[in-house]
Amino acid sequence: MKIEVLRIGQRLVRDDRVTTHVALVSRAFGASKILMYDTNPEIKDTISKVNKMWGSDFKVEIIENWKEVIRSKKKDAFKIVHLTMYGEDINTVQSDLRKEDKVLVVVGAEKVPREVYDIADYNVAVGNQPHSEISALAILLDRILQRRQFQKYPNAEREIIPTKKGKRVMNKTTD
Ligand code: SAM
């Protein structure tokens, strides 16, 4: 299953840290790409450093026009999954989401325009309380992929050896 994430509505500087975390969660929880605009270019650098050290070829695409992106992804058979506290309960829609081949997950920052609710194939709520795009995204991706996202990457320079205490990291380029 191919999953991409579209970040909309972020405010430059003010939302940079949250947007970076949305990108990190997208990568670590099984999406292959994040599309974003009006972003600090350092976010792209941060993610490429993480890819180099910990593996994967997760992509960051800087876009001009998010409405055009949604339209073209729809034409390319992506289902649009908008995360919103006003949507359908994730418990109800998760089994349908797991059957999709290509999904574009839309996460907001500021108030999301009405047209996103209309164009979305699924408006999905992770509970009906306001919280965070980072948490909503992590839970959605985990519910869809059901832990299959937690994989090892052959192109990683480093790999963590889980331990009860302390930190063990294998350096795959030298060890
Ligand atoms: N007040 C904004 C609105 O009306 O769209 C929401 C702002 S919220 C801080 C930022 C993003 O977090 C939302 O656009 C949505 O993607 C996500 N989010 C927050 N709570 C959520 C929930 N309970 N379920 C799903 N997504 C949620």
Side-chain angles (χ1 to χ4, degrees):
M1 180 174 185
K2 183 173 187 172
I3 304 179
E4 298 184 0
V5 174
L6 173 64
R7 167 74 159 150
I8 64 171
Q10 73 270 20
R11 296 143 293 183
L12 202 57
V13 185
R14 192 172 154 187
D15 286 326
D16 279 355
R17 191 170 151 76
V18 175
T19 302
T20 304
H21 284 213
V22 170
L24 288 168
V25 163
S26 302
R27 173 189 167 277
F29 282 70
S32 56
K33 183 193 268 192
I34 186 164
L35 303 106
M36 51 173 85
Y37 60 93
D38 275 354
T39 10
N40 183 339
E42 280 178 22
I43 296 176
K44 210 170 173 173
D45 277 2
T46 303
I47 299 300
S48 71
K49 282 182 194 145
V50 174
N51 278 346
K52 187 166 182 291
M53 192 174 290
W54 301 106
S56 101
D57 64 347
F58 180 79
K59 306 258 184 315
V60 177
E61 185 177 334
I62 308 298
I63 56 164
E64 296 284 319
N65 182 335
W66 61 263
K67 292 180 191 176
E68 191 43 51
V69 167
I70 293 180
R71 276 193 289 270
S72 77
K73 293 288 175 187
K74 268 190 106 99
K75 276 192 203 138
D76 191 22
F78 276 78
K79 295 292 179 186
I80 311 301
V81 178
H82 170 221
L83 277 168
T84 164
M85 66 177 176
Y86 304 102
E88 290 183 277
D89 187 340
I90 191 168
N91 291 323
T92 313
V93 290
Q94 62 189 12
S95 55
D96 290 338
L97 293 174
R98 287 175 193 148
K99 292 178 200 143
E100 301 293 357
D101 284 334
K102 298 202 262 186
V103 162
L104 179 72
V105 182
V106 182
V107 293
E110 280 192 303
K111 192 169 163 49
V112 172
R114 171 78 215 195
E115 59 197 295
V116 177
Y117 293 76
D118 293 334
I119 201 167
D121 298 285
Y122 301 87
N123 288 292
V124 180
V126 180
N128 298 115
Q129 299 293 326
H131 47 89
S132 142
E133 51 273 50
I134 303 168
S135 58
L137 180 63
I139 288 170
L140 174 83
L141 295 178
D142 193 58
R143 291 289 185 92
I144 295 177
L145 295 171
Q146 299 172 282
R147 297 192 59 79
R148 288 195 306 278
Q149 71 272 32
F150 299 129
Q151 52 172 296
K152 292 181 176 174
Y153 298 108
N155 65 343
E157 287 179 358
R158 295 187 191 180
E159 197 175 295
I160 290 171
I161 316 293
T163 48
K164 268 189 186 237
K165 293 189 181 180
K167 301 177 185 176
R168 274 190 72 196
V169 179
M170 181 169 67
N171 188 334
K172 293 171 69 187
T173 55
T174 54
D175 295 353

